[in-house]
Amino acid sequence: MIASLILSASIAFTASDAHFAFECASNLVANCTPRDAGTVRGRIAANWILDTASAAGLDIRRDVFRATTPYGERTFTNLYCEFVREPSAEWVVVMSHYDTKPGTACPGANDGASTTGLLMALARSIADRGGVPKGNLMILWTDGEECIRGYSENDGFWGSRRAADELERRGRRVRAAICLDMLGDRDLKVTVPDNSDSTLARISVHAARRAGLGDGFITSIPEEVKDDHLAFMSKGWRAIDFIDFDYGSVPGRNDWWHTKEDTVDKLSVESLHASGRFVAEFLNIIL
Ligand SMILES: [Zn+2]
């Protein structure tokens, strides 16, 4: 125990991690577009995550499950990479969806792939540094964040609802659930929607400062955003969404969101580096 404590360093996200995150996002888009949940191409994307994580030396677990959709039952796949330091302690969950908006042929470079790549690089960085310094961390790639017709009981958030149910079923206590979405935009403006936990929102300001990103890096907005964090909130756990929901050719137009324009050229390594440093510091505080 003492040896493992000495071996594990605090969590970091370097420039080389950011390059790896960008490479992962680009490869996911190149190999798996579109990757709508419940389709064969969605399963190819899940296999791509599994293969990429294995090649990076990560121990990754797959959860394949069936769920009802507006078009009948479909198969979904969540992927987990867990770092256990204190088995009886609480868990921190950090998640990104990897699926694309059904029926849009959207490459989802920013919406899905950017944070999928970020989590891959973060997981590799943590593993290379000997695991988490304390507590327990679950890195989670969710399937089926996007709804087919409109969010409802049987439409959208299939992966996050499954993951939250599984945590509850296993009796794991969750200290915080952190949802990352659309954080690779080269014109990055990270926001915390109103339907996030206020304590975690305050911690995020400290994390940005500690990461050297300045007070303006995170902005709280009065709007609510439907995202994967809601499944965890509904269990009574603290949860927060970090999202840059201004994604288009002109501020406020959002014309790259859920369209064929959501391409890799709209991302930057610098934005992924800033988002990654921020998440690393957030975890160093919350774990
Ligand atoms: Zn989306």
Side-chain angles (χ1 to χ4, degrees):
M1 186 59 165
I2 289 167
S4 62
L5 283 174
I6 290 166
L7 283 173
S8 58
S10 60
I11 296 169
F13 197 90
T14 64
S16 120
D17 296 323
H19 279 279
F20 181 53
F22 187 90
E23 184 190 314
C24 288
S26 304
N27 287 341
L28 178 61
V29 169
N31 291 301
C32 315
T33 293
R35 46 191 180 281
D36 300 359
T39 68
V40 169
R41 296 201 53 80
R43 250 167 285 167
I44 292 171
N47 283 332
W48 180 90
I49 292 172
L50 199 66
D51 289 350
T52 304
S54 299
L58 297 167
D59 193 6
I60 194 163
R61 183 163 63 82
R62 172 166 44 183
D63 178 25
V64 180
F65 59 97
R66 302 271 295 166
T68 307
T69 79
Y71 297 113
E73 274 219 338
R74 292 281 185 276
T75 302
F76 299 86
T77 308
N78 280 345
L79 298 122
Y80 300 84
C81 181
E82 295 178 355
F83 296 95
V84 181
R85 177 66 58 189
E86 300 164 80
S88 59
E90 292 175 315
W91 282 77
V92 171
V93 180
V94 58
M95 72 192 99
S96 160
H97 77 94
Y98 66 88
D99 60 308
T100 45
K101 177 69 179 173
T104 61
C106 171
N110 193 28
D111 190 3
S114 66
T115 45
T116 295
L118 191 159
L119 287 189
M120 190 70 73
L122 181 72
R124 189 185 71 165
S125 170
I126 293 169
D128 287 352
R129 287 162 171 266
V132 289
K134 53 188 187 303
N136 303 303
L137 176 67
M138 172 188 283
I139 290 180
L140 165 65
W141 291 271
T142 61
D143 197 1
E145 183 272 333
E146 305 283 7
C147 59
I148 296 172
R149 289 182 191 155
Y151 286 113
S152 72
E153 207 175 293
N154 292 319
D155 198 358
F157 305 137
W158 289 279
S160 51
R161 285 188 276 127
R162 166 74 173 194
D165 284 346
E166 284 295 293
L167 280 158
E168 187 178 55
R169 189 182 59 79
R170 296 171 78 174
R172 288 180 170 179
R173 293 168 299 130
V174 175
R175 178 180 297 180
I178 303 153
C179 177
L180 312 178
D181 208 353
M182 304 177 75
L183 298 183
D185 185 356
R186 66 184 181 210
D187 174 26
L188 186 65
K189 292 184 289 291
V190 183
T191 64
V192 173
D194 197 39
N195 54 342
S196 293
D197 179 78
S198 58
T199 301
L200 297 182
R202 279 195 294 279
I203 289 172
S204 70
V205 175
H206 291 293
R209 261 182 226 152
R210 274 176 54 159
L213 295 160
D215 284 354
F217 183 75
I218 297 278
T219 310
S220 286
I221 54 169
E223 292 86 28
E224 299 200 340
V225 172
K226 290 190 170 102
D227 215 336
D228 272 337
H229 67 305
L230 295 178
F232 294 80
M233 277 196 137
S234 72
K235 300 285 186 195
W237 296 323
R238 292 185 189 279
I240 192 165
D241 190 31
F242 296 115
I243 186 164
D244 177 358
F245 201 41
D246 186 5
Y247 185 50
S249 54
V250 172
R253 192 175 287 172
N254 233 10
D255 51 339
W256 297 341
W257 176 61
H258 288 177
T259 69
K260 288 178 183 169
E261 293 300 316
D262 184 2
T263 47
V264 170
D265 58 295
K266 314 296 192 317
L267 313 182
S268 78
V269 173
E270 289 71 26
S271 292
L272 286 167
H273 192 198
S275 297
R277 280 159 60 205
F278 166 70
V279 173
E281 284 309 322
F282 192 95
L283 293 176
N284 282 329
I285 295 171
I286 197 78
L287 272 171

